[in-house]
Amino acid sequence: MMNKNVLFILILALLFNACGNNEKKQAGKESETGIKQETTADKELDIWNSLMPSIAKIDSYDEDRILESGQGFFVGEDLLVTKYSLVNQATNVKVQPFNEVKKYTARRFVAFDRINDLIVLKVDSITRKPIELQKDTLPNFAKSMYVAPKTGKTLQLFTGKVLNLANIKGTRLYRITNRIRTSQFGAPIFVSTGKVIGVAYSGTVNYEMQSFAIPSEFILDMLQKKYATPQPLELLKNTSNEKIAAENRKIKGLVLETDAGNITIKLFNETPEYRDNFIRLAKEHYFDSLLIHRVIKDFGIQSGAADTRYAEPGANVGWKGPGYTIPAHIVPGLYHKRGMIGSPRKPDTKNQRRRSDGSQFYIVSGRKYFDKGLDELEEANNYKFSAEQRHAYKTVGGAPHLDGTYTVFGQVISGMDVVDKIVQVETDRRWRPLEDIRIKRVRILK
């Protein structure tokens, strides 16, 4: 009988020989292909490392004064997307890719979406591989992640999940569990394939801080509609110049194409800041698809709220503007007779300077008044109606209770029958029509 020790040695020898043969076979495969066999983890790491040059930290400046900081990512070789609100008051933006110390400059843009808070910048003297955008809607609880700059050789990858795609704060947003800080606003949110589902930011909803991704579908839409010639960032500022003002003075009118019919309006040159603002928003297609969200019999109709484009039935809307307000400009002789267009605002308790909303407007259908009613309004509002106003309110009607405190900036020149038709629709307790009525687009008459 073979000695037990000898048998044990023979078994070990056979095992070592088998391992050696396997190593030789593996080495043979590598020598044949010339490629080292990568693990799944290695491949995933390669994907994330390859994305680092296409993600960047950004700082926006007004000349030499820093305004905001955040992140962005390349969606074209020299095109970087980020949040519009980070750069809309800037003259230039400094862009620092995650894999570099060098900073590049962006002074122009090729597309922006004010309502969805996105902009595509043209970055000078740089070429980067665009990051692929997710085109399909993700299922709930899909894995989501973002990448932070490396610390040494360590790649920082933070994971979470997509809760759902919902209408929140006036737009469609992915709700995500990733914790997004202010410095990460504009960062790309990825799925495991390395595709981007949207642009990161966070905000308070129902008294709770939540994180979101602005869906990539809006980026794709901007890229399809981008300007052939990049535009300077200065154009985004809420200001006008004499050249633009001169062009706007020549505009004959604007047509509000609604689901109920067309309403043609003219804007008054006596309120140039309101005229130029409305025309600028119309050119941006800001009003397209917004609801006529407020309808009050014996008063009129109201539209222009940014939170109505994607509003679900029954939602409480009318609270979101373009991100700025306009100083009141009350002109003697412009008053709230039937057909006038005015600018709403927050109540005096929250708005002591009576600044107007930056995009919302109302059209007065009104009602007729007697002298007694006008006398009572004068006493209540400490306001004196002229003989012309009294005549207008007694014959064609209007909304005299707003005179002296709300800005009138335009007038309907045709289509009051459409306004009257809309005023008759059934509404909920917040005066929102039960059946949606939208402005399909605003057409400028030159």
Side-chain angles (χ1 to χ4, degrees):
M1 182 177 291
M2 187 178 293
N3 185 284
K4 289 183 179 180
N5 290 333
V6 174
L7 180 61
F8 179 70
I9 292 170
L10 285 173
I11 291 171
L12 285 178
L14 288 171
L15 287 173
F16 280 121
N17 186 52
C19 291
N21 288 336
N22 285 336
E23 288 176 359
K24 288 177 182 178
K25 288 178 182 178
Q26 183 65 32
K29 287 182 181 179
E30 290 179 10
S31 63
E32 289 174 3
T33 62
I35 300 173
K36 183 179 179 180
Q37 300 298 311
E38 286 188 312
T39 65
T40 301
D42 289 333
K43 291 179 180 178
E44 288 182 354
L45 185 61
D46 288 343
I47 290 174
W48 297 116
N49 280 326
S50 69
L51 293 170
M52 300 300 279
S54 300
I55 310 172
K57 179 181 181 297
I58 66 166
D59 295 307
S60 64
Y61 289 82
D62 182 8
E63 302 301 341
D64 296 326
R65 180 171 63 92
I66 190 166
L67 300 174
E68 302 283 353
S69 296
Q71 293 182 20
F73 58 97
F74 283 84
V75 290
E77 289 188 344
D78 58 356
L79 301 179
L80 179 134
V81 69
T82 187
K83 279 175 64 67
Y84 170 83
S85 54
L86 293 177
V87 305
N88 66 330
Q89 297 300 310
T91 57
N92 66 93
V93 177
K94 299 299 181 184
V95 177
Q96 182 182 4
F98 276 7
N99 69 325
E100 288 193 48
V101 176
K102 183 178 178 180
K103 294 183 179 181
Y104 301 84
T105 302
R107 294 184 177 87
R108 297 172 292 168
F109 65 92
V110 297
F112 71 99
D113 181 342
R114 194 189 296 270
I115 287 181
N116 291 304
D117 199 18
L118 294 172
I119 189 168
V120 179
L121 300 173
K122 174 79 163 58
V123 186
D124 299 333
S125 306
I126 193 171
T127 300
R128 285 291 184 272
K129 181 180 178 182
I131 294 178
E132 189 174 356
L133 300 172
Q134 176 76 22
K135 296 180 181 179
D136 303 321
T137 301
L138 287 175
N140 294 350
F141 305 112
K143 190 176 181 180
S144 60
M145 57 199 76
Y146 66 88
V147 183
K150 285 185 176 181
T151 55
K153 295 183 178 181
T154 304
L155 180 70
Q156 300 184 85
L157 185 63
F158 300 89
T159 61
K161 60 184 177 182
V162 175
L163 296 177
N164 59 4
L165 178 62
N167 290 322
I168 301 170
K169 304 187 80 171
T171 188
R172 286 201 302 272
L173 296 170
Y174 283 116
R175 293 173 59 241
I176 58 178
T177 62
N178 307 77
R179 184 181 177 186
I180 305 300
R181 298 175 177 84
T182 304
S183 61
Q184 295 157 338
F185 283 12
I189 298 295
F190 295 94
V191 286
S192 55
T193 59
K195 293 182 180 180
V196 170
I197 64 167
V199 176
Y201 86 104
S202 61
T204 303
V205 177
N206 297 328
Y207 306 103
E208 178 186 359
M209 184 61 72
Q210 298 182 21
S211 295
F212 307 100
I214 306 168
S216 57
E217 64 180 280
F218 300 132
I219 305 172
L220 291 165
D221 185 61
M222 284 195 300
L223 292 174
Q224 289 179 351
K225 300 175 181 177
K226 68 180 184 293
Y227 299 121
T229 303
Q231 303 295 307
L233 281 170
E234 287 91 337
L235 290 183
L236 299 176
K237 292 188 176 184
N238 303 319
T239 58
S240 187
N241 57 48
E242 183 50 39
K243 180 181 178 181
I244 293 172
E247 292 174 355
N248 290 342
R249 282 193 291 269
K250 297 176 183 178
I251 289 175
K252 296 178 180 178
L254 300 96
V255 181
L256 313 183
E257 298 182 2
T258 81
D259 291 331
N262 291 353
I263 305 167
T264 303
I265 67 174
K266 69 175 181 179
L267 304 177
F268 296 139
N269 291 327
E270 292 88 340
T271 50
E273 63 273 61
Y274 285 77
R275 176 200 62 205
D276 295 346
N277 177 68
F278 195 98
I279 292 170
R280 180 173 63 247
L281 293 178
K283 288 180 177 178
E284 292 176 11
H285 303 284
Y286 179 93
F287 297 112
D288 295 3
S289 297
L290 298 188
L291 288 176
I292 294 174
H293 66 277
R294 197 166 186 242
V295 171
I296 303 176
K297 292 179 181 179
D298 296 331
F299 168 68
I301 65 175
Q302 186 169 320
S303 185
D307 57 356
T308 65
R309 181 174 287 171
Y310 309 103
E312 296 177 340
N316 184 11
V317 295
W319 307 105
K320 185 177 179 181
Y324 59 87
T325 57
I326 308 175
H329 189 167
I330 298 167
V331 178
L334 297 181
Y335 52 93
H336 288 83
K337 66 181 177 181
R338 173 177 164 82
M340 288 297 199
I341 301 169
S343 186
R345 58 176 174 78
K346 291 182 179 180
D348 293 352
T349 53
K350 298 180 180 179
N351 182 20
Q352 293 182 358
R353 295 185 179 181
R354 295 181 173 177
R355 292 179 67 92
S356 301
D357 187 274
S359 61
Q360 292 194 52
F361 63 96
Y362 54 81
I363 299 176
V364 177
S365 59
R367 68 176 178 86
K368 295 178 182 178
Y369 285 76
F370 294 104
D371 280 318
K372 183 180 178 181
L374 295 173
D375 292 340
E376 291 172 351
L377 285 173
E378 282 185 338
E379 184 176 352
N381 297 338
N382 191 27
Y383 180 86
K384 184 69 174 177
F385 296 116
S386 68
E388 178 187 324
Q389 286 171 279
R390 279 183 173 268
H391 177 73
Y393 290 134
K394 290 190 292 183
T395 55
V396 299
H401 61 288
L402 301 180
D403 286 349
T405 56
Y406 286 79
T407 298
V408 173
F409 68 93
Q411 184 176 17
V412 174
I413 55 179
S414 71
M416 277 304 296
D417 58 324
V418 176
V419 176
D420 291 336
K421 181 168 62 174
I422 296 172
V423 164
Q424 299 304 315
V425 302
E426 191 175 355
T427 66
D428 62 18
R429 61 186 178 84
R430 300 188 188 97
W431 300 295
R432 175 179 170 178
L434 296 182
E435 293 188 12
D436 287 348
I437 304 171
R438 295 186 183 275
I439 295 177
K440 293 186 286 188
R441 67 167 181 158
V442 177
R443 181 161 40 93
I444 298 174
L445 302 175
K446 294 187 178 180

